[in-house]
Amino acid sequence: MPPSIRSLDAGPALRCIVFASDFSPASQAALPHAARLARVFGAFVYALYVIEIQPWEICPEVTLQSRIDATQLLDEVTRSKEWDGIRVQAALRHGSAVAQIIRFAQEHSADLIVTGAGSRHRLRHLLLGSVAEQLAQTAPCPVLTIRSDANPPATEEGGFRNIVLATGANAGAAAGISYAAKFSNRFGARLWIAHSLRPDGGGNDSERSWLSKLVPHREGVAPIFEIGTVEQVTVMLAQRESADLVMLAPGLGWLLPKLVQHLACPVMSVRYAIPMIRPKSFGAEIALNS
């Protein structure tokens, strides 16, 4: 079994990746991104599919046929040439997709979840509570989301060149900046830290001063302050700098649908490295990354 998850401060050691597939075009688009990251970090990959059986469908015949179909499709996923040289194992679960993906990630100490989102047209009608959005806000580890018509990995080696981090004046800023800085450094990528300012100017000076203290002083990392909403500033900066990855600091997972709608690059939500609430099938538990 892969080693236990490391905290954000330990750097971006991706040793276990959960590729959550639903066999859709979005999942097919996400697969190369999961494979390239697994290859870069030498990570073990679980290709996970959750059979969402409805209450009225719980009978031996339906369950058996669902498992047979899902097993065949998972076998096709794990036999993809994208996984050449990568350790990958199929996994099957029953129940709510979000709850089971989160539980599986906890049980296997996942360092990253990779999942797909609908096309840009479908995302215009994306409802709150989608699997990708819920994972972005509640998963116990970072979540990488790729839409069905997303750009392919930026380089053959699976690296990144320009990364934009969306952050704000909240408790998640320090954790997000720390993780993004180490992640970008791992790939030798430029990191742009996007922070939105108020049009009326109230509190902007103090926010600039506070956030600037969190930003590491090294070449290739730059805080960007612009007037507008966090969504507007992040999209503008990502498009201007041709970002091949956008990251969301802890607490900004709710932005995922908006950013995935406007940007063709992958979006990664960063999670806390401090005690946090991790949902289970019913209720919740408080856990600590170790």
Side-chain angles (χ1 to χ4, degrees):
M1 180 177 295
S4 298
I5 190 171
R6 298 170 69 179
S7 70
L8 296 180
D9 289 337
L14 306 184
R15 295 172 291 180
C16 176
I17 296 175
V18 174
F19 172 56
S21 175
D22 62 1
F23 312 128
S24 67
S27 291
Q28 294 174 10
L31 193 153
H33 292 271
R36 299 292 173 86
L37 284 173
R39 187 169 290 108
V40 168
F41 287 94
F44 185 96
V45 177
Y46 287 103
L48 173 66
Y49 176 70
V50 179
I51 301 175
E52 294 193 274
I53 299 292
Q54 300 298 328
W56 57 85
E57 295 177 328
I58 300 178
C59 67
E61 293 80 6
V62 172
T63 301
L64 177 59
Q65 188 59 53
S66 296
R67 289 187 64 87
I68 291 173
D69 295 342
T71 299
Q72 292 175 342
L73 291 170
L74 269 178
D75 185 54
E76 294 179 11
V77 169
T78 58
R79 286 191 287 108
S80 169
K81 292 183 179 179
E82 295 284 354
W83 303 118
D84 287 351
I86 298 171
R87 297 170 298 160
V88 58
Q89 179 178 321
L92 198 60
R93 289 290 177 93
H94 292 79
S96 163
V98 173
Q100 290 302 319
I101 292 170
I102 289 176
R103 173 176 287 184
F104 189 92
Q106 290 176 314
E107 292 174 353
H108 295 84
S109 300
D111 296 297
L112 178 69
I113 296 171
V114 180
T115 187
S119 66
R120 182 174 182 176
H121 175 73
R122 288 183 59 198
L123 283 164
R124 291 196 184 100
H125 309 286
L126 187 67
L127 299 175
L128 293 176
S130 70
V131 170
E133 184 184 0
Q134 289 186 62
L135 288 175
Q137 297 187 72
T138 59
C141 60
V143 178
L144 185 68
T145 303
I146 299 96
R147 75 186 201 194
S148 58
D149 55 347
N151 296 330
T155 67
E156 285 299 316
E157 295 76 21
F160 300 98
R161 296 166 298 194
N162 295 291
I163 299 174
V164 170
L165 170 71
T167 189
N170 55 47
I177 292 172
S178 175
Y179 186 86
K182 292 171 183 176
F183 192 90
S184 62
N185 189 52
R186 172 66 177 77
F187 291 98
R190 290 181 294 176
L191 174 63
W192 313 89
I193 299 173
H195 184 78
S196 63
L197 299 175
R198 299 181 181 87
D200 59 10
N204 285 348
D205 289 340
S206 60
E207 286 188 17
R208 284 176 183 269
S209 176
W210 173 75
L211 193 69
S212 295
K213 294 177 182 178
L214 301 177
V215 178
H217 298 288
R218 67 172 173 82
E219 186 178 357
V221 178
I224 304 295
F225 300 93
E226 296 284 352
I227 293 175
T229 66
V230 62
E231 174 192 349
Q232 293 169 338
V233 173
T234 303
V235 170
M236 177 277 295
L237 188 57
Q239 293 175 339
R240 189 183 77 190
E241 301 301 337
S242 300
D244 42 40
L245 176 66
V246 168
M247 305 178 83
L248 303 176
L252 293 180
W254 58 270
L255 270 175
L256 178 71
K258 299 177 182 294
L259 296 186
V260 175
Q261 176 181 336
H262 295 292
L263 300 172
C265 65
V267 179
M268 178 189 289
S269 61
V270 178
R271 304 299 301 152
Y272 285 106
I274 58 177
M276 53 181 280
I277 295 177
R278 296 180 176 179
K280 299 177 70 176
S281 294
F282 300 97
E285 65 177 354
I286 295 179
L288 175 66
N289 288 351
S290 58

